[in-house]
Amino acid sequence: MMKQRFKATRFAPSPTGPLHFGSLVCAVASYLFAKQHDARWLVRIEDIDKQRCKPENIDDIIRCLHAHGLKEDGPIVLQSQRSELYKEYIEKLKTRQLIYACDCSRKMIKQRARYYDGFCRERNLLRKNNALRFKNLDCPRTFSDLHFQIQHTSLPVAHEDPVLRRADGQYNYNLAMIVDDIEQGIDLVVRGADLLDQTPLHQHLFTSFDAPAPAYFHIPLAVHSKGVKYAKQSFSPAINNKVSSQNLASCLVFLGIPIETIPRHESVDTLIAWAVSAWQPSLLARRKEIAVIQSNDVYSPHYS
């Protein structure tokens, strides 16, 4: 176990549908990390996208977590209830001249370049009815991940000026996530390897608010086949709570625990307590994807 200690981590699903296996793996990994460090494990519902998020999915997600022995250590935060807080942080960036208004449509951006090119930085547009972008100056390109170690990103998308508030007034994930991590005292983030390239931008946003960036531990993505990750968009099946111990065992195999060592016929509470003492982050494969075959509610990770 790493010597570094942490105070809080979080699991932050978006209620666009029920939890799938990839989400459950991330929840389990963050929970084990938290308990091994005597840290709080918090649950945050990222429901700022009102068009895609469904309130009924929130209860389904919480029931699924609890059915697998994953119980939060504090109040559940809903991003949809924190707009005023996000507005305060936007004003902080305004004071530091780190945001500007932009009226570029996606079509206009694509006509000029592959990624947003900073076209509106010096146009001095009015903020009303326009998107607000973060002036992404001096963003680092290298960072150290607790699992993948030194990472370097050269993707332009990680260094463009991201939208923090849309023209319709809806706040963007990049702002809400950073603000909530600051406000909740999150000092460790466990998430999928698909977000590795965005980490320098996220660290830079923390710095822009004079806040320390958390440590990051990225885990491999659970994929159906190469490049097709478990996700709502790929119609990944919902987790069946009736076989929670079986699901939990599959997650532990994904995280590197040999299947023959995992206790059988145990309750989820017994199994998760055993996993807290048995799992080591060093057991996890250092690869970006792990194929998972699903058949009749049985998830089988394959490393070949």
Side-chain angles (χ1 to χ4, degrees), residues 14-25:
S14 178
T16 55
L19 290 186
H20 51 73
F21 182 76
S23 298
L24 185 61
V25 165

Side-chain angles (χ1 to χ4, degrees), residues 88-106:
E88 291 176 14
Y89 274 75
I90 283 286
E91 292 302 317
K92 291 180 182 180
L93 293 180
K94 179 187 176 183
T95 300
R96 299 175 185 186
Q97 299 182 324
L98 289 176
I99 59 168
Y100 61 92
C102 172
D103 64 358
C104 295
S105 66
R106 292 183 180 180

Side-chain angles (χ1 to χ4, degrees), residues 12-295:
S14 178
T16 55
L19 290 186
H20 51 73
F21 182 76
S23 298
L24 185 61
V25 165
C26 193
V28 171
S30 61
Y31 184 89
L32 297 181
F33 243 118
K35 298 307 169 183
Q36 289 179 346
H37 289 82
D38 295 322
R40 294 187 302 152
W41 186 73
L42 304 177
V43 173
R44 177 195 309 154
I45 303 297
E46 297 191 339
D47 60 342
I48 51 174
D49 190 337
K50 298 178 182 178
Q51 293 182 332
R52 297 178 61 239
C53 295
K54 307 296 182 184
E56 59 268 24
N57 291 328
I58 297 175
D59 289 339
D60 289 340
I61 288 171
I62 301 306
R63 277 194 295 269
C64 183
L65 294 174
H66 291 177
H68 292 81
L70 308 175
K71 299 178 177 65
E72 64 278 5
D73 294 317
I76 296 174
V77 168
L78 274 64
Q79 289 187 333
S80 59
Q81 300 176 355
R82 296 164 74 82
S83 294
E84 287 302 313
L85 181 62
Y86 305 145
K87 182 179 179 181
E88 291 176 14
Y89 274 75
I90 283 286
E91 292 302 317
K92 291 180 182 180
L93 293 180
K94 179 187 176 183
T95 300
R96 299 175 185 186
Q97 299 182 324
L98 289 176
I99 59 168
Y100 61 92
C102 172
D103 64 358
C104 295
S105 66
R106 292 183 180 180
K107 182 178 179 180
M108 293 166 60
I109 294 170
K110 289 182 178 180
Q111 287 175 341
R112 294 195 306 265
R114 186 178 178 188
Y115 299 109
Y116 181 70
D117 57 0
F119 179 78
C120 291
R121 269 194 182 187
E122 308 302 330
R123 294 179 65 199
N124 297 316
L125 299 175
L126 295 176
R127 295 169 63 185
K128 186 176 181 180
N129 298 326
N130 284 320
L132 297 181
R133 290 185 179 272
F134 172 64
K135 193 176 292 185
N136 189 12
L137 304 172
D138 301 320
C139 182
R141 292 182 178 268
T142 301
F143 75 98
S144 180
D145 183 69
L146 293 178
H147 181 54
F148 288 102
Q149 300 182 345
I150 301 299
Q151 294 292 298
H152 176 82
T153 178
S154 58
L155 290 181
V157 70
H159 304 282
E160 65 178 355
D161 294 347
V163 172
L164 299 186
R165 195 200 69 188
R166 299 188 332 194
D168 62 4
Q170 180 175 300
Y171 293 100
N172 183 274
Y173 161 79
N174 283 320
L175 175 72
M177 179 266 297
I178 297 296
V179 171
D180 289 335
D181 280 349
I182 293 172
E183 291 291 322
Q184 292 186 286
I186 302 299
D187 56 2
L188 170 67
V189 172
V190 179
R191 61 187 188 181
D194 55 333
L195 293 173
L196 274 166
D197 284 320
Q198 294 189 39
T199 303
L201 168 62
H202 294 161
Q203 291 181 322
H204 189 40
L205 280 164
F206 278 102
T207 301
S208 299
F209 289 119
D210 292 330
Y216 289 88
F217 186 95
H218 289 83
I219 68 173
L221 295 177
V223 299
H224 297 277
S225 59
K226 187 173 181 179
V228 182
K229 68 177 182 176
Y230 274 71
K232 286 123 183 172
Q233 295 92 329
S234 58
F235 304 103
S236 299
I239 289 291
N240 183 355
N241 294 341
K242 294 181 180 179
V243 289
S244 53
S245 292
Q246 179 177 282
N247 297 335
L248 193 52
S250 296
C251 289
L252 298 179
V253 172
F254 184 99
L255 295 174
I257 295 181
I259 190 171
E260 64 273 10
T261 67
I262 298 175
R264 297 185 179 185
H265 311 298
E266 299 286 353
S267 68
V268 291
D269 290 336
T270 300
L271 189 52
I272 200 74
W274 174 85
V276 169
S277 61
W279 182 65
Q280 298 294 328
S282 59
L283 294 173
L284 184 59
R286 193 167 291 165
R287 55 197 300 178
K288 301 295 178 63
E289 298 180 349
I290 295 176
V292 178
I293 298 174
Q294 188 267 338
S295 177

